[in-house]
Amino acid sequence: VITDANPEILSAATAEAGEVSGAERGSVSAAGDLAAAAGDSDLVVEAIVENLGIKQELFARLDKLAPGAVLATNTSVLPIGAVTERVE
């Protein structure tokens, strides 16, 4: 499931992800709402801007929305401990 607050970006990302080699038809879906996207997830990978405060806020929300999920980040410069600081 792909999610984004911007509907145009969400649509483009979903179309692009569906063209990935090996992706089965229907294996990529879109959700404009974070709760709908993360709700029953086992794994959530964030790919947002490299801003510590924004990532911390997202991880705090994801911790509540998907309590059993593994939360992963694609950060290349921020300390993982700092990113997950607000996760209980």
Side-chain angles (χ1 to χ4, degrees), residues 17 66 83 86-87:
V83 172
R86 298 182 192 170
V87 173

Side-chain angles (χ1 to χ4, degrees), residues 65-88:
L65 294 172
V70 173
L71 304 179
T73 179
N74 74 340
T75 188
S76 58
V77 297
L78 299 172
I80 303 302
V83 172
T84 60
E85 191 173 276
R86 298 182 192 170
V87 173
E88 295 179 11

Side-chain angles (χ1 to χ4, degrees), residues 1-79:
V1 178
I2 298 173
T3 189
D4 196 287
N6 182 318
E8 290 177 8
I9 292 174
L10 181 58
S11 178
T14 304
E16 186 174 326
E19 295 176 8
V20 172
S21 177
E24 295 181 28
R25 181 176 278 296
S27 65
V28 177
S29 60
D33 177 63
L34 184 60
D40 293 327
S41 298
D42 295 319
L43 171 67
V44 177
V45 181
E46 68 76 17
I48 60 174
V49 64
E50 289 288 296
N51 177 294
L52 181 58
I54 293 172
K55 285 186 186 280
Q56 287 174 330
E57 181 181 319
L58 177 61
F59 269 75
R61 288 180 63 203
L62 289 170
D63 186 40
K64 290 176 181 32
L65 294 172
V70 173
L71 304 179
T73 179
N74 74 340
T75 188
S76 58
V77 297
L78 299 172

